[in-house]
Amino acid sequence: MTMIETRQLETEARRSLARILPRVEQTLRRSIAKEPQVWDQFTTRLNRNFPTLLALYADVYSDRYDLFHHLEDLVASMARSWFSRPQDLRELDNAREQDPHWFQSNHMLGGVCYVDLFANDLDGIRKKIPYFKELGLTYIHLMPLFKAREGENDGGYAVNSYREVHPPLGTMKELSSLAREFRKAGISLVLDLVFNHTSDEHIWAERAKAGDEEYMDFYRIFPDRELPSRYEQNLREIFPEEHAGAFSPFIINGKEHWVWTTFHSYQWDLNYANPAVFNRMAEEMLFLANQGVEVLRLDAVAFIWKQLGTNCENLPQAHTLIKAFNAVARIASPALIFKSEAIVHPDEVVRYISLEECQVSYNPLLMALLWNSLATRKTRLLSQALATRFKIQVGTAWVNYVRVHDDIGWTFSDEDATALGVNGYDHRRFLNEFYRGRFPGSFARGLPFQENPVTGDCRISGTCASLAGLEKALHEEGEKEVELAIRRILLIHGIVLTVGGIPLIYLGDEIGTLNDYSYRDDPARERDSRWVHRPRTDWEKYKKRKNLHSLEGHIFHGFRSMIELRKAQAVFSDGELETIPTGNDHILAFMRTHAGKRAVVFANFSEVPQTVPRRIIEQYSITSLKKLHGRNHVSPKNILVLEPLDFLVFG
């Protein structure tokens, strides 16, 4: 934007705000009279951020005759939310504005779990705060805990109400109290904003099913198959086992209609072409922020905008809408940041990451290529990705993980693979066979998820331990293979902890939790293999974590030593990463630098010893560094031999 365009925008913003604010002030006159200083705080941030919000809002809704009606409605919603925001959260807003890089510290460590599976309910989670501190967590993502439809609900992602906790888990008041206790313990609460769709039982959907035209316009609803069929010419099927295409039938007043359902037939996609939908979801977002949520994971960001003739993924308007939500947060809940969930082509993933859009983002490429490297015992694709795709805008961060609640998809770029002589289609078939345990020599025990019989495509479900070989080793092999499986678990987590960004641990992985096949006996879950890696926590096994001679203790101690390494070395804060070409395809090597410090990491993805050439030891002055982690030392002849699956750090 040129300087002239910026000035024009600021002028138009001032004029628009001058028309809007008096009416908002009249609406909120009692609140303003009671707390004038709070109104002053709000208008200060509003004036600062309104030009940005106006530009984004108008970019999407400029063809609406009622644009300024909806914009006024949005400003009033933000103001009401600010008056409702607790004082301690306003203080947090000020602190985070003074320290915008708070989440990039080497002390940041995330954990993720389901409330009911990990600790029964919110009170149970509260009682686990001492354990979270023992592990070193500073960021806890509680999987969807909102009131959801009974039976199948996509693990809570079919939301009936964003303002109610699912009754067995507790209440919204308890959640707000838990967030406050987390903050006192130095832990940030992370929740999902499921903003692409609602459950078909949400009050908006119920009103739409009753024929209320206002709420029918909250969704993409069609009276016949003509437009859905035209859209589907360019759409991919996300859950082909559940329903073909992207639309599901339902009845209004005895007549069949079709509603857009990208995922499950009971998840109705919202219609963001309607500004009322944006406004109402902004209210839900601010409500959650006012409960003490510090990070919102934006679910399914790629799908929120639809346009005929496109694949309806990663469209420009999707980015504009997220930036508009970000602008709303800067005005009414500045401490809040966004985490994007975009399991799409790497070129598209990175486009969601910026200070103006999502400040942090899942890193599905790193996750996929860690598992790829374990299967192939080669690091070429992983090293290439770290060298070419890892660097992002200053002030933002990756959230790095080896698995989350979802399946594992092989999201590497075919172009990147081709550059290394790898056929992407064939390689994905190999990885699926390997992690299903069907490839000769595979150590993995995973399950297919949403296998498409037409394309042969599928994704993989399984716990870290079962995919890394521990299940097979315990049930079919012996002590040597058990040790190798444990090394695989620690190796990939070691990289996640040192590569940069925010490391995220799926709780249970730190004690080697195996697949749980009992989900097959639950009618609400039997068709979703992802439940195999969502077992109920066995706290008897957790008690063994302090016994170093137990399996759980061995793995937990390995996690703790790497976490302590991360927290003791400021070099693992946000900083620079340089990949190191060792000439050995089995070894991943990289150097981290930050604030004048450096660390060098070597990871052997092979089950046999591997050598780092002398020239690398000398070029990177490894002998001048202290060994911080790992089993091996540099020899007097400047040769380094890495033990099988070893993770070695010098700094």
Side-chain angles (χ1 to χ4, degrees), residues 100-101 103-104 352-361 391-398 501 574:
H101 303 304
F103 55 84
Q104 297 184 305
Y352 291 93
I353 309 169
S354 72
L355 297 175
E356 297 77 29
E357 196 163 346
C358 295
Q359 297 91 337
V360 301
S361 171
K391 189 177 181 64
I392 51 179
Q393 182 181 343
V394 173
T396 63
W398 289 113
D574 177 58

Side-chain angles (χ1 to χ4, degrees), residues 109-243:
L109 176 64
V112 58
C113 66
Y114 283 89
V115 172
D116 55 340
L117 298 177
F118 191 75
N120 295 322
D121 55 23
L122 291 175
D123 186 57
I125 292 290
R126 180 185 59 79
K127 292 175 181 175
K128 297 303 179 188
I129 289 177
Y131 173 71
F132 298 147
K133 290 177 68 69
E134 176 189 346
L135 185 57
L137 301 183
T138 60
Y139 156 128
I140 295 178
H141 182 174
L142 299 179
M143 295 303 295
L145 44 69
F146 308 111
K147 186 177 181 181
R149 70 194 305 275
E150 295 298 330
E152 289 189 37
N153 57 34
D154 193 24
Y157 283 94
V159 177
N160 282 4
S161 171
Y162 299 92
R163 301 199 179 207
E164 297 174 77
V165 171
H166 202 53
L169 304 181
T171 66
M172 192 57 71
K173 183 178 180 181
E174 287 178 293
L175 179 65
S176 182
S177 176
L178 175 65
R180 190 166 282 109
E181 290 200 47
F182 273 180
R183 287 198 299 280
K184 289 178 181 176
I187 297 171
S188 297
L189 174 62
V190 185
L191 292 183
D192 290 82
L193 181 63
V194 187
F195 77 141
N196 175 72
H197 50 262
T198 72
S199 153
D200 62 350
E201 296 176 358
H202 191 284
I203 186 62
W204 301 340
E206 293 289 356
R207 289 175 177 172
K209 285 187 282 188
D212 186 324
E213 291 186 1
E214 178 184 355
Y215 288 94
M216 287 176 66
D217 197 32
F218 271 44
Y219 301 94
R220 296 272 184 165
I221 293 174
F222 303 89
D224 53 45
R225 279 290 311 181
E226 182 194 355
L227 273 174
S229 295
R230 289 173 60 191
Y231 274 109
E232 285 178 345
Q233 292 175 14
N234 297 286
L235 304 180
R236 65 185 174 108
E237 293 180 333
I238 305 300
F239 288 159
E241 289 185 359
E242 205 263 3
H243 69 95

Side-chain angles (χ1 to χ4, degrees), residues 221-392:
I221 293 174
F222 303 89
D224 53 45
R225 279 290 311 181
E226 182 194 355
L227 273 174
S229 295
R230 289 173 60 191
Y231 274 109
E232 285 178 345
Q233 292 175 14
N234 297 286
L235 304 180
R236 65 185 174 108
E237 293 180 333
I238 305 300
F239 288 159
E241 289 185 359
E242 205 263 3
H243 69 95
F247 295 85
S248 298
F250 74 104
I251 303 298
I252 299 179
N253 297 328
K255 185 173 183 276
E256 184 175 73
H257 286 67
W258 293 83
V259 61
W260 200 307
T261 54
T262 295
F263 300 103
H264 293 287
S265 58
Y266 50 77
Q267 291 168 309
W268 288 17
D269 285 38
L270 288 162
N271 174 23
Y272 279 99
N274 177 1
V277 170
F278 179 92
N279 290 7
R280 299 293 78 76
M281 286 306 299
E283 289 173 353
E284 305 307 285
M285 175 188 81
L286 294 176
F287 174 82
L288 294 174
N290 282 357
Q291 308 315 303
V293 179
E294 297 182 38
V295 183
L296 278 174
R297 171 191 176 272
L298 302 186
D299 180 58
V301 293
F303 299 92
I304 61 174
W305 189 262
K306 278 68 169 171
Q307 184 174 316
L308 191 63
T310 74
N311 66 359
C312 298
E313 295 183 39
N314 306 301
L315 296 178
Q317 293 89 341
H319 294 281
T320 304
L321 286 165
I322 298 167
K323 289 175 182 176
F325 279 118
N326 189 315
V328 169
R330 302 286 67 77
I331 294 167
S333 56
L336 182 69
I337 66 170
F338 294 160
K339 174 171 66 172
S340 75
E341 187 255 358
I343 313 303
V344 290
H345 190 284
D347 287 347
E348 297 295 343
V349 172
V350 76
R351 292 186 178 123
Y352 291 93
I353 309 169
S354 72
L355 297 175
E356 297 77 29
E357 196 163 346
C358 295
Q359 297 91 337
V360 301
S361 171
Y362 275 151
N363 192 348
L365 181 61
L366 178 63
M367 177 270 297
L369 294 182
L370 287 171
W371 290 109
N372 172 73
S373 294
L374 286 180
T376 62
R377 282 76 169 177
K378 293 184 177 180
T379 65
R380 292 185 305 155
L381 278 169
L382 177 56
S383 184
Q384 175 201 59
L386 290 177
T388 62
R389 295 190 178 276
F390 193 73
K391 189 177 181 64
I392 51 179

